[in-house]
Amino acid sequence: MALTYTMKGNFFNLYAHRFARVAVGVPRCRVADPAFNAAQTLDLARQAAAQGAALVAFPELGLSAYTCDDLFHQAALLEACERALGDIVAESAGLPAALIVGLPLRVNHSLFNCAVVVARGRILGVVPKTYLPNYGEFYEARQFTAGDATVATHVELAGQRAPFGPDQLFEVADVPGLRFHVEICEDVWVPIPPSSFAALAGASVLVNLSASNIVVGKSGYRHQLVSQQSARCLAAYLYTSAGRGESSTDLAWDGQSIIYENGELLAESGRFLDDSHLILADVDLERLSHERMRQTTFGQSVLRHKAETERFRTTAFEIGLAVDQPLALRRKVERFPYVPADRRRRDERCDEVYNIQVQALVQRLSAIGMDKVVIGVSGGLDSTHALLVCAKAMDRLNLPRANIIGVTMPGFATSGRTLQQARALMRVVGCTAMEIDIRPSCAQMLKDIGHPYASGQELYDITFENVQAGERTSHLFRLANFHNAIVIGTGDLSELALGWCTYGVGDHMSHYNVNASVPKTLITHLVRWVAETGKVGDGSQVLLDILGTEISPELVPGKTDGAPAQRTEQFIGPYELQDFNLYYILRYGFAPSKVAFLALAAWHDRERGDWPEEAHVPRNQYELAAIKRNLGIFVHRFFKTSQFKRSCVPNAPKVGSGGSLSPRGDWRAPSDSEEIVWKADLANVPDTPPDA
């Protein structure tokens, strides 16, 4: 009986893939006019719910306005705020979203600065502010009591009884993984924010209702604060602040709202806007869960702070969110996750990767006391980049580049183009260049093993190909013995993931591999970066020619020798798609159906305003059928057929946080596992989008 999995919800709905759309609203306000403020709040809440948001946060003391000062002790204002809250509670009954609003609230003869969580006509909890600023322009302790200074655990409000206190978590039961905590403004500015313990207690989304006046430089500091808190807590963080309408007696307000996820900015509002405004972002709850599971020190912190985490109470509720209709992902998904889209960051990344590889090779040569390397130079991308790394390593060691023994080894299928490129590259780099025709030795081996090719038959099977790959590697190792050198491997991360290498005595093996954790898409950019920055003098054109050459193993002869006859991507799929698949499966452990959903968001045929500046970057687009087909290739090769090659790879430096496939580093897996569960999940992916 075939194993199948049924996805919960529509494949084309972001909630089916454990995303949650969240929103931050900044309503236009009036000081001491709760009815007006509630109306503005509800208008934004309806907009957010109409766009599929499950959670909407509003500013601190938003129903009264933050700048009421001693008006907070006026009974008329406090009662008006409670009536305004009642209006919001009533209207929320028809909205499939949780709302978080701020207001002043009397409890046991004290006044608290509170956040109230409301959903489906219910008050789910009231959270008082813990830390009251009373310095600089702030005088909150004049009007309010700190939230941890009360013994009350519940409060009667708007005709309902609700939990009261800062020790609360809220779980949206029909959005798996959406458990949130609320703190207020200053709470996140202290050394240990309450949200730190809430995250350890299970909150995946942290919400801050803030007012926060604006002064020069404060906007940037807010970004730093929220970014770091979201990163340390491995959480999403929603931050809102007061905007137009707050009193300008002594202060100004910019209405800045921001949403971060694990240190990454997802959305930011404009500042100093005149009207009410709203930002939305799609938070990846599964990514956050995976990060907490992977980083075992997070679990250690939970245990270490058990006393603080055990005090939290959790209120579970449903918002009635419909997930049976398509809801497209708004989150920007980069097509090249290993390569930053921003040109400046991309240049920084290339420089850092290049130096990591160089430093690693310098250390290895220094440690073993050798000063020479042997490297096969094919005229293709991988060996080009590895040769450039070797050249820089020799420069760092103050050794002549002649200590690099570059060897090009034409075989039965070597094209004239790649052979000329290999020769030109070695000349430009200044290494010792050798050329060995492997056809005679390959012909002898084919004859020795009785292969039909030796008797004149045009049989170009795997044996025919691997004889050539093995001969090349055998020559490199014997040259290394002869010259007291080590063999430098050139195979990349993408090839290891797909098993696109000849095991053992083939391109699988070397003494040290500088490329093993660098994916093909990044190597492409690294070579171009070297060319564009002039790091090889007059050799830039050679590099550009290599970049323009079809990726090929060149092991099967073609009809002409002008260009490679084999095309690697015809067998294993486009590297740009397979690197995308590799990143999300290796780095985050996502199921194939979610990877396909993300790929559709990144690669589907639609207008995009984020094309890279360079004209050379292909503007490819992939329909869902192509995404699914190539993902199937990846799943089969990665999980079923290739692990035995990765279980015994040579030493190599880990380069990026996207991971490596070394059994001594990021990836340990059995060589005889099955692919069944991944294929079953892939079956949830439709063949066509809903509008096809």
Side-chain angles (χ1 to χ4, degrees):
M1 181 177 178
L3 177 66
T4 58
Y5 291 135
T6 302
M7 179 178 295
K8 294 182 179 179
N10 188 303
F11 171 82
F12 301 100
N13 189 300
L14 63 95
Y15 285 96
H17 303 281
R18 291 189 64 186
F19 286 95
R21 182 160 293 167
V22 297
V24 175
V26 180
R28 176 77 178 265
C29 75
R30 291 178 184 170
V31 178
D33 190 349
F36 175 86
N37 297 336
Q40 295 289 308
T41 297
L42 280 169
D43 183 58
L44 289 180
R46 295 187 189 100
Q47 292 180 39
Q51 296 180 68
L55 177 64
V56 194
F58 297 97
E60 176 184 16
L61 296 170
L63 295 188
S64 58
Y66 180 80
T67 47
C68 289
D69 290 327
D70 285 351
L71 297 182
F72 283 125
H73 282 183
Q74 292 290 311
L77 176 61
L78 297 176
E79 290 166 5
C81 286
E82 293 189 27
R83 289 194 299 272
L85 175 65
D87 294 339
I88 290 175
V89 173
E91 288 295 319
S92 74
L95 299 177
L99 315 180
I100 310 172
V101 297
L103 77 162
L105 186 64
R106 294 168 293 190
V107 178
N108 289 350
H109 314 294
S110 295
L111 186 66
F112 296 91
N113 178 345
C114 293
V116 179
V117 180
V118 175
R120 288 298 194 179
R122 293 175 54 204
I123 297 176
L124 299 165
V126 180
V127 180
K129 187 173 184 176
T130 299
Y131 293 94
L132 302 178
N134 222 51
Y135 57 87
E137 63 265 44
F138 303 111
Y139 298 94
E140 287 189 33
R142 177 182 173 91
Q143 291 98 22
F144 296 104
T145 298
D148 54 1
T150 178
V151 295
T153 59
H154 289 77
V155 63
E156 298 291 336
L157 183 61
Q160 299 185 31
R161 178 176 171 82
F164 177 79
D167 56 344
Q168 298 186 69
L169 302 179
F170 303 90
E171 183 172 356
V172 185
D174 49 347
V175 182
L178 180 53
R179 180 183 292 183
F180 64 91
H181 170 265
V182 184
E183 60 190 5
I184 302 175
C185 200
E186 187 75 10
D187 290 346
V188 77
W189 296 71
V190 300
I192 305 178
S195 57
S196 297
F197 297 122
L200 296 177
S204 56
V205 176
L206 312 174
V207 183
N208 188 299
L209 273 58
S210 176
S212 190
N213 66 299
I214 187 61
V215 293
V216 173
K218 195 172 187 179
S219 172
Y221 190 75
R222 288 176 189 147
H223 274 286
Q224 294 176 7
L225 200 65
V226 174
S227 172
Q228 283 299 307
Q229 185 64 358
S230 72
R232 290 180 186 278
C233 293
L234 300 175
Y237 201 103
L238 283 58
Y239 181 93
T240 181
S241 55
R244 179 69 184 277
E246 289 284 0
S247 173
S248 60
T249 300
D250 291 299
L251 304 173
W253 313 86
D254 65 343
Q256 181 182 30
S257 54
I258 48 181
I259 301 175
Y260 273 85
E261 176 189 295
N262 194 17
E264 177 184 350
L265 179 65
L266 297 185
E268 179 180 12
S269 73
R271 299 169 58 210
F272 306 105
L273 301 178
D274 287 329
D275 298 322
S276 299
H277 52 279
L278 182 74
I279 61 170
L280 300 100
D282 296 341
V283 171
D284 192 340
L285 299 172
E286 183 180 7
R287 177 192 178 196
L288 296 172
S289 176
H290 178 272
E291 289 297 87
R292 292 180 176 186
M293 178 177 65
R294 187 178 73 95
Q295 294 188 23
T296 54
T297 49
F298 186 90
Q300 293 171 24
S301 296
V302 172
L303 183 61
R304 184 177 294 263
H305 298 285
K306 185 177 180 181
E308 290 87 349
T309 59
E310 285 183 335
R311 64 184 176 84
F312 281 94
R313 299 171 283 168
T314 300
T315 299
F317 61 99
E318 294 187 356
I319 57 175
L321 194 69
V323 295
D324 56 346
Q325 296 297 318
L327 183 62
L329 191 68
R330 285 190 175 184
R331 181 188 182 102
K332 182 178 179 180
V333 181
E334 297 290 354
R335 294 182 168 187
F336 301 96
Y338 291 103
V339 185
D342 177 73
R343 186 185 183 95
R344 180 186 60 81
R345 288 184 58 233
R346 188 164 62 251
D347 289 347
E348 292 175 353
R349 175 74 56 83
C350 288
D351 183 69
E352 187 169 28
V353 169
Y354 191 45
N355 279 288
I356 289 172
Q357 293 176 276
V358 170
Q359 175 71 13
L361 181 55
V362 166
Q363 170 61 24
R364 176 52 55 98
L365 291 171
S366 300
I368 62 178
M370 286 190 172
D371 59 5
K372 292 180 181 179
V373 298
V374 173
I375 180 171
V377 182
S378 68
L381 272 174
D382 291 345
S383 63
T384 294
H385 178 60
L387 180 58
L388 295 172
V389 170
C390 290
K392 186 65 175 178
M394 291 299 167
D395 295 345
R396 286 273 303 276
L397 289 166
N398 295 315
L399 295 171
R401 290 188 177 184
N403 283 21
I404 305 169
I405 302 170
V407 190
T408 187
M409 293 170 280
F412 298 120
T414 301
S415 66
R417 174 170 181 160
T418 55
L419 182 58
Q420 292 305 316
Q421 287 171 176
R423 292 167 176 167
L425 179 64
M426 291 189 288
R427 183 171 59 252
V428 165
V429 169
C431 66
T432 298
M434 295 183 63
E435 188 167 321
I436 300 175
D437 187 345
I438 63 167
R439 287 174 293 184
S441 57
C442 288
Q444 182 63 48
M445 176 169 284
L446 290 167
K447 180 181 178 181
D448 292 344
I449 66 175
H451 192 276
Y453 179 83
S455 60
Q457 297 184 41
E458 293 186 0
L459 178 62
Y460 305 133
D461 57 4
I462 292 295
T463 303
F464 178 83
E465 294 187 48
N466 284 349
V467 161
Q468 297 171 80
E471 280 298 311
R472 287 182 173 131
T473 303
S474 179
H475 278 78
L476 293 176
F477 272 95
R478 302 298 74 79
L479 280 167
N481 293 155
F482 186 62
H483 292 282
N484 194 31
I486 63 170
V487 175
I488 301 301
T490 63
D492 63 46
L493 182 69
S494 309
E495 293 176 343
L496 281 174
L498 294 160
W500 194 248
C501 55
T502 300
Y503 183 77
V505 184
D507 54 328
H508 170 261
M509 193 48 60
S510 63
H511 289 117
Y512 195 73
N513 185 352
V514 294
N515 285 347
S517 69
V518 188
K520 187 77 75 177
T521 49
L522 182 54
I523 282 183
T524 300
H525 282 80
L526 285 162
V527 172
R528 185 170 297 279
W529 173 74
V530 173
E532 291 178 345
T533 53
K535 296 182 182 297
V536 287
D538 59 357
S540 292
Q541 187 56 51
V542 177
L543 300 183
L544 295 176
D545 290 342
I546 291 169
L547 284 164
T549 304
E550 185 76 42
I551 298 173
S552 171
E554 292 197 300
L555 296 171
V556 174
K559 299 302 181 183
T560 66
D561 66 353
Q566 284 178 295
R567 296 184 176 183
T568 297
E569 291 174 305
Q570 286 184 340
F571 294 92
I572 61 175
Y575 273 116
E576 55 192 13
L577 267 188
Q578 301 299 29
D579 278 1
F580 185 95
N581 297 334
L582 172 63
Y583 180 81
Y584 285 105
I585 288 175
L586 176 62
R587 178 65 179 82
Y588 296 115
F590 288 166
S593 57
K594 181 165 183 173
V595 176
F597 179 74
L598 289 168
L600 186 65
W603 290 96
H604 186 46
D605 182 10
R606 58 186 171 89
E607 292 296 322
R608 290 174 62 98
D610 62 339
W611 292 110
E613 300 171 6
E614 298 85 354
H616 69 271
V617 175
R619 299 189 175 190
N620 295 336
Q621 296 163 342
Y622 296 100
E623 299 298 328
L624 187 57
I627 290 170
K628 182 178 181 180
R629 181 177 64 255
N630 286 293
L631 184 52
I633 293 171
F634 182 90
V635 164
H636 175 68
R637 296 187 70 97
F638 186 81
F639 290 106
K640 180 65 176 174
T641 67
S642 304
Q643 179 56 39
F644 76 99
K645 297 181 180 180
R646 299 188 289 265
S647 293
C648 55
V649 293
N651 289 180
K654 178 178 177 179
V655 167
S657 60
S660 77
L661 289 171
S662 168
R664 299 170 297 277
D666 281 347
W667 186 251
R668 298 166 182 84
S671 296
D672 48 6
S673 69
E674 299 295 337
E675 61 182 315
I676 296 171
V677 294
W678 291 274
K679 288 184 67 176
D681 179 80
L682 185 62
N684 289 315
V685 181
D687 294 318
T688 57
D691 55 354

